[in-house]
Amino acid sequence: MLKKISPFLLLLSIVWSTESSAQNLYLTSIGDTEKETKTIDSIGYKKTFNDYGSLEKEITTLQKKITQIGYIENELLHLKKQNDTTYLASFSLKNKYDHIIIEHNGLVDVSILKLTDFLDQKNRLIIPIANVENTLQFINSEMANRGNPFSTLIVKNIQRLDDKTLTGSLSVSEPKSRTTDKIIIKGYEKFPKSYINRYLKIKTEEVFNLAKIKEQTATLNDLVFANQIRDPEVLFTQDSTILYMYIEKARSNTFDGFLGFGTNESTNKIEFDGYLDLNLINNLNYGESLKLLYKSDENDQQTFDLKLVTPYIFSSPIGLDLNLNIFKRDSSFITVSQIAKINYQINSRHVISAGIHSIKSTDLLDVPTALITDYDSNKYIINYTYTKRQNYDRLFPVNFLFDLSSSFGNRSYETFDEKQSNFYINTFKIFNLNDKNSFYGRLNANYLVSDTYLENELPRFGGINSIRGFEENSLIANLYAVLNTEYRYKLNNTIYVHSVIDAAYFENQISDQKEKLFGFGFGFGLLTKAGLFRFNYTSGKTEDRKFKLSDSKIHLSLTTTF
């Protein structure tokens, strides 16, 4: 009597039978001699396969590897099936060549060939066989970068020179170079066209070089008002080369202000001071910037500063800087300073400028004094600025700044006319120790050189943007140097705390004063939706005076980007 088999057991039996019948295939490769077999084994190859197609593919790959190490005359003698699962591949490696001497016949720029390090004194390429493929790929890539994106190198007329050396000649499939015919901006279509030609230095009708273009467009990240979204792309047609650049407009306008308060030593009353700082950048899509500063401090001093920078005027490489500064101290005097400069941006980080600096100061006192009087000053000014940004860091977007200025000219008052010179430096650097810890150092110095000095012409310093722990612009000197340091620790990407250790030295020849100042304290910064909020608590002291908590200063500021 036959037993009835269930459908499930029947299906399981079929699957087991199919899997048990599928067997792996094995490959063994040998050479003509034992030495050749050892060479093949040293190259290495896969020996187990699921199907015959994979086994054939591995034999082709192995033969290519044999050719690449110098056995260019090798042959696959036969592929035999030894049994149901094992195959034997028999090779004849023949002679091994070490080098090939290639004549380029002037088809490739010698400057490209020199980059390979295989060019001899007779301008021939002598390349180890193992390096031939990579070297030709490198030469082809460099030719593409220099305007031949579709060129292909071929080594022709390969002949045997001796047992170790081959000879050949280069042939280039398409020697005609390409030029950039059109540039299209995607994302920020109103990106200033002058910045493409002058800042990025990318121009149409120039030889197309993709590597150079990528390097140039990377400098977009050094701009405050624009960012590169992704790498540029190129569309090649039969008759033209079109470059696509992907840029987005960044929020770059800033509004900054702070409120400070401290105790007046004479009245023991709390006094307030503060400022407003508005910076408008690229609102007209020309890359221009307009900066407006108004400051009023507890010493009854007011400052109005307006600065306009217009780069690449009339699409030329020259820009224009205009600055108007008005300073008034109570009822003593008022000083109006005007600067007009032309600037030249060497590249994304370096800027040089030169111009004229004119100053007119008016005595407001009812009773004239020898220290404060009307004067006029006219000087020639030169300036150099270097800026390195780190846009990945929203808290500290600028990593390094170096700003150096010098001016020379005359100052006249009453019947006196004197030569004067002025030297100014403002530089800072952030040393990133790791993702959370960094050290900030800043040096700010000013030196006015003159035979005599007036009180209303001396530079002023002190306060949150100078030596902290002292009142805003409360210190005057013909020479001063301020060192600011901070150790910063990031709690996260939006909050940091820091120390405050400041030191300064100044000289005032009018009062025959030479003094050292110190400021100590702490602070924190908080990046909010409204902007960067900063808090500083500092106390200042002179070299001979002890710290007093009553002299401490609290400074609050908020920088908003819009």
Side-chain angles (χ1 to χ4, degrees):
M1 183 177 180
L2 295 175
K3 294 184 179 179
K4 188 175 182 181
I5 301 176
S6 70
F8 175 74
L9 291 177
L10 181 60
L11 177 61
L12 184 62
S13 174
I14 293 173
V15 171
W16 179 84
S17 174
T18 302
E19 289 182 347
S20 63
S21 63
Q23 299 177 352
N24 287 331
L25 302 180
Y26 302 94
L27 172 65
T28 300
S29 299
I30 62 172
D32 273 347
T33 64
E34 184 178 350
K35 183 179 178 181
E36 288 187 358
T37 302
K38 288 183 178 180
T39 299
I40 295 172
D41 289 339
S42 67
I43 294 173
Y45 60 93
K46 189 177 178 182
K47 298 181 179 181
T48 305
F49 307 90
N50 293 326
D51 54 65
Y52 183 75
S54 300
L55 185 145
E56 277 191 316
K57 187 176 179 180
E58 180 63 21
I59 293 173
T60 303
T61 302
L62 176 59
Q63 190 168 14
K64 182 179 179 182
K65 290 179 180 179
I66 293 172
T67 303
Q68 287 174 338
I69 64 172
Y71 296 97
I72 66 171
E73 298 171 338
N74 75 83
E75 287 185 75
L76 175 63
L77 299 178
H78 52 72
L79 177 62
K80 290 184 178 180
K81 185 176 182 182
Q82 292 185 309
N83 54 48
D84 290 343
T85 60
T86 304
Y87 288 81
L88 176 67
S90 180
F91 290 91
S92 176
L93 302 189
K94 300 183 180 179
N95 186 56
K96 181 182 180 182
Y97 296 93
D98 294 333
H99 294 83
I100 182 171
I101 300 174
I102 302 176
E103 301 284 350
H104 60 86
N105 300 321
L107 295 177
V108 181
D109 194 319
V110 175
S111 64
I112 295 178
L113 301 180
K114 285 181 178 179
L115 297 175
T116 65
D117 294 329
F118 295 129
L119 196 67
D120 70 354
Q121 294 180 349
K122 296 181 180 180
N123 278 343
R124 302 176 305 173
L125 285 171
I126 303 179
I127 309 174
I129 296 297
N131 298 103
V132 169
E133 184 175 358
N134 290 336
T135 301
L136 293 180
Q137 287 178 353
F138 171 78
I139 295 173
N140 208 75
S141 175
E142 284 297 311
M143 292 177 63
N145 289 336
R146 300 190 186 190
N148 293 315
F150 300 114
S151 62
T152 302
L153 287 179
I154 303 171
V155 181
K156 300 194 307 182
N157 303 322
I158 299 176
Q159 297 179 2
R160 174 176 174 169
L161 183 63
D162 54 45
D163 289 343
K164 297 295 182 183
T165 309
L166 298 170
T167 62
S169 60
L170 275 183
S171 175
V172 181
S173 63
E174 186 183 331
K176 183 180 178 181
S177 60
R178 281 184 170 256
T179 59
T180 304
D181 300 303
K182 189 176 182 181
I183 301 172
I184 297 177
I185 306 295
K186 292 289 186 179
Y188 179 16
E189 284 77 9
K190 293 184 178 180
F191 181 79
K193 299 298 185 291
S194 58
Y195 271 75
I196 297 175
N197 295 333
R198 302 299 180 183
Y199 182 84
L200 298 178
K201 294 179 172 57
I202 299 176
K203 300 178 181 179
T204 56
E205 300 182 358
E206 285 190 342
V207 175
F208 175 78
N209 185 330
L210 183 58
K212 185 178 179 181
I213 288 173
K214 286 184 177 181
E215 181 181 341
Q216 290 167 318
T217 55
T219 61
L220 283 168
N221 295 325
D222 288 330
L223 287 176
V224 178
F225 60 85
N227 297 316
Q228 182 176 221
I229 304 173
R230 67 186 193 200
D231 286 342
E233 296 177 346
V234 186
L235 174 63
F236 295 108
T237 65
Q238 184 175 359
D239 301 321
S240 65
T241 303
I242 302 174
L243 174 66
Y244 287 87
M245 296 168 54
Y246 300 91
I247 305 172
E248 66 176 357
K249 188 173 184 178
R251 293 191 305 170
S252 53
N253 298 322
T254 61
F255 174 79
D256 187 9
F258 84 83
L259 175 67
F261 53 91
T263 304
N264 187 298
E265 294 181 1
S266 302
T267 63
N268 268 343
K269 294 182 179 180
I270 295 178
E271 293 184 341
F272 295 88
D273 63 282
Y275 79 92
L276 298 177
D277 189 356
L278 178 65
N279 200 2
L280 303 176
I281 300 177
N282 192 46
N283 288 272
L284 301 178
N285 295 310
Y286 288 106
E288 80 292 341
S289 68
L290 177 67
K291 185 173 183 178
L292 172 64
L293 170 68
Y294 177 77
K295 179 163 58 177
S296 177
D297 54 51
E298 61 254 51
N299 291 316
D300 198 15
Q301 299 178 138
Q302 292 86 39
T303 302
F304 174 84
D305 190 84
L306 181 65
K307 184 175 183 180
L308 174 65
V309 178
T310 57
Y312 310 123
I313 52 178
F314 304 116
S315 297
S316 72
I318 302 299
L320 184 64
D321 291 8
L322 300 174
N323 181 230
L324 171 65
N325 182 281
I326 302 174
F327 177 79
K328 182 177 182 294
R329 194 183 77 177
D330 50 58
S331 58
S332 300
F333 64 88
I334 183 170
T335 300
V336 179
S337 170
Q338 300 175 77
I339 299 176
K341 295 186 298 183
I342 57 173
N343 66 63
Y344 175 73
Q345 185 143 11
I346 301 172
N347 55 36
S348 62
R349 296 179 179 177
H350 302 267
V351 179
I352 56 175
S353 57
I356 300 174
H357 186 189
S358 175
I359 303 175
K360 183 177 181 60
S361 185
T362 303
D363 179 9
L364 301 179
L365 295 173
D366 295 331
V367 180
T369 67
L371 299 180
I372 299 178
T373 187
D374 297 348
Y375 77 87
D376 293 291
S377 173
N378 293 285
K379 299 175 183 177
Y380 297 101
I381 184 172
I382 55 176
N383 174 251
Y384 166 75
T385 304
Y386 173 87
T387 308
K388 180 181 179 182
R389 299 183 62 83
Q390 50 182 27
N391 288 339
Y392 60 86
D393 195 327
R394 297 172 62 196
L395 289 172
F396 315 118
V398 179
N399 177 269
F400 181 38
L401 171 70
F402 183 83
D403 186 4
L404 178 65
S405 296
S406 179
S407 60
F408 307 88
N410 295 321
R411 184 257 286 139
S412 359
Y413 72 98
E414 297 179 352
T415 59
F416 301 97
D417 192 6
E418 292 183 4
K419 291 185 177 180
Q420 286 186 334
S421 57
N422 186 258
F423 303 93
Y424 172 82
I425 183 172
N426 179 37
T427 181
F428 69 79
K429 168 69 177 172
I430 298 175
F431 300 91
N432 295 307
L433 307 178
N434 51 44
D435 291 340
K436 291 186 174 293
N437 296 273
S438 62
F439 179 81
Y440 166 85
R442 177 190 179 217
L443 174 65
N444 176 252
N446 202 335
Y447 183 28
L448 176 64
V449 182
S450 180
D451 293 333
T452 61
Y453 296 95
L454 301 173
E455 185 176 322
N456 50 324
E457 72 176 346
L458 295 184
R460 286 165 169 75
F461 68 105
I464 189 174
N465 293 315
S466 182
I467 181 164
R468 291 163 288 190
F470 292 84
E471 296 177 353
E472 291 293 315
N473 288 329
S474 61
L475 305 166
I476 60 174
N478 58 283
L479 166 65
Y480 72 81
V482 179
L483 177 64
N484 305 114
T485 66
E486 293 179 5
Y487 166 73
R488 295 169 173 174
Y489 178 76
K490 282 186 182 180
L491 299 176
N492 53 46
N493 290 330
T494 59
I495 303 175
Y496 74 97
V497 294
H498 66 88
S499 63
V500 173
I501 302 177
D502 293 348
Y505 172 79
F506 75 93
E507 295 181 3
N508 187 334
Q509 290 195 14
I510 294 178
S511 60
D512 194 23
Q513 185 180 13
K514 297 181 180 179
E515 199 160 356
K516 297 176 183 177
L517 308 174
F518 302 93
F520 297 91
F522 65 91
F524 69 85
L526 174 63
L527 189 62
T528 67
K529 291 183 178 180
L532 178 61
F533 174 77
R534 293 186 300 162
F535 170 91
N536 279 334
Y537 178 86
T538 53
S539 182
K541 70 178 287 291
T542 62
E543 193 174 11
D544 302 324
R545 190 181 67 182
K546 296 182 178 181
F547 283 108
K548 292 183 180 179
L549 289 177
S550 59
D551 294 337
S552 298
K553 303 292 179 183
I554 297 177
H555 293 287
L556 308 175
S557 71
L558 178 65
T559 303
T560 302
T561 302
F562 61 96

